[in-house]
Amino acid sequence: MAWYAYCITERQAFPELLRHRKPIPMEAVTGIQGNQIFLYPASDLAVIVSECSAAEKMSDRAGMEHARVISDCFKTSTVLPFRFGTVFADDEALRRSIRSNQRQFLTNIERLRGKAEMHLKVVLDDCCRDQIKRYTPPAPPPTVGKAYLSNLRENAALQRERQTKARAVTVQMHRMFAPLAEEVTCRRMDPGKMLLDIAHLIDSASVERYQNKYSSASLLMKDCQMQLSGPWPPYHFVHRLTHHNASPATAVHGVGRAANLAASA
């Protein structure tokens, strides 16, 4: 029987597990498609898993159910989330992965203990959208002319201007919220908007203070539309690992990548 993995946590967070060497049911939490959740002991760690089959199909709600299990565990312990779709072929594959990466797992847990992730979505005007559209050059002719090269330079300059605006807003947000760490991505939206996706790592005890800062920032940043969610498990701040011994998630109908921890990318 294969194991579907949700997250890793500390064994000591579950006193009932200290007396067991084999997986035991975890009460009050159900997994994907209502499957029983198990606490799987592995040295000083515990892996939150449910049984699964290679023939088992994932429902449309599976991703939300995966996140719900992780959030439920996060309420009582430090967690390292696995990517959605992580499957270990058998007990040996699961144990081997934990043994190979135990030091990294423990280091991550120690670093993230007492921490939470807050997620900001910031929508702002794309200052260069119309200009970039105007200057986007056609396919180059056999002989590249001065006009074509000039358009290329103009387009590059506008792209830099867009990046500068996004960077300025990101720096302003960092100063306002003063997170312990952050991960930022930027992408264009239609029509004429840019979206900044900002993940902030903070102390769990500082959530209310962070929410108050958000209220103040919403009033100050009148040119932006802001949306806050959290606190969440620290999805974006789990360091990537170098050893991945789980089977590719394609064993469960291609719903994910090879098994590894949710990382900041």
Side-chain angles (χ1 to χ4, degrees):
M1 175 64 70
W3 292 105
Y4 183 95
Y6 299 89
C7 59
I8 292 175
T9 185
E10 292 178 288
R11 188 171 179 173
Q12 66 182 18
F14 300 91
E16 65 272 28
L17 198 57
L18 299 179
R19 302 186 302 273
H20 296 272
R21 292 186 177 183
K22 293 183 179 181
I24 63 172
M26 184 177 182
E27 305 300 333
V29 181
T30 57
I32 288 177
Q33 299 181 345
N35 291 339
Q36 173 68 59
I37 292 292
F38 290 88
L39 292 164
Y40 196 112
S43 186
D44 294 330
L45 302 168
V47 189
I48 310 302
V49 297
S50 60
E51 294 180 336
C52 72
S53 167
E56 188 174 340
K57 293 183 179 180
M58 290 290 182
S59 68
D60 294 337
R61 293 178 51 83
M64 296 173 57
E65 292 170 340
H66 175 91
R68 174 182 51 75
V69 172
I70 296 171
S71 293
D72 286 346
C73 295
F74 177 62
K75 293 174 183 177
T76 57
S77 61
T78 303
V79 299
L80 306 180
F82 278 103
R83 290 187 187 278
F84 172 62
T86 296
V87 176
F88 293 92
D90 51 33
D91 292 271
E92 178 56 30
L94 176 53
R95 293 192 187 103
R96 185 169 60 247
S97 179
I98 299 302
R99 283 197 304 267
S100 299
N101 298 291
Q102 182 169 343
R103 181 177 299 178
Q104 294 98 317
F105 289 147
L106 292 172
T107 298
N108 268 322
I109 286 176
E110 184 62 31
R111 183 173 59 88
L112 297 173
R113 183 178 288 111
K115 307 295 191 301
E117 178 177 319
M118 304 297 286
H119 193 193
L120 282 169
K121 289 183 179 290
V122 183
V123 178
L124 56 154
D125 289 332
D126 184 351
C127 57
C128 309
R129 178 176 179 269
D130 294 335
Q131 296 96 317
I132 288 178
K133 184 176 180 181
R134 184 190 317 150
Y135 286 108
T136 298
T143 302
V144 178
K146 291 183 179 181
Y148 176 77
L149 293 176
S150 176
N151 281 345
L152 281 180
R153 287 192 294 269
E154 186 68 29
N155 191 48
L158 293 170
Q159 293 284 10
R160 287 194 296 271
E161 184 179 345
R162 170 187 285 146
Q163 293 170 1
T164 299
K165 180 176 182 179
R167 189 177 298 112
V169 172
T170 300
V171 169
Q172 191 170 1
M173 291 293 174
H174 183 88
R175 289 173 177 169
M176 286 181 178
F177 292 96
L180 301 173
E182 66 181 9
E183 290 287 339
V184 182
T185 59
C186 178
R187 60 185 176 87
R188 282 179 286 172
M189 300 172 60
D190 286 329
K193 300 289 184 181
M194 288 191 297
L195 172 65
L196 288 177
D197 238 327
I198 304 174
H200 282 164
L201 185 70
I202 66 170
D203 287 318
S204 297
S206 302
V207 170
E208 185 175 355
R209 186 186 311 163
Y210 187 98
Q211 291 168 336
N212 291 336
K213 289 180 179 179
Y214 169 76
S215 298
S216 300
S218 298
L219 296 175
L220 292 173
M221 304 289 289
K222 295 182 179 180
D223 295 335
C224 302
Q225 301 173 30
M226 299 174 59
Q227 181 180 346
L228 173 66
S229 64
W232 301 108
Y235 287 98
H236 288 82
F237 302 97
V238 178
H239 288 168
R240 288 188 183 277
L241 301 178
T242 55
H243 304 291
H244 307 311
N245 294 310
S247 300
T250 49
V252 188
H253 298 273
V255 295
R257 306 177 187 176
N260 58 345
L261 289 181
S264 57

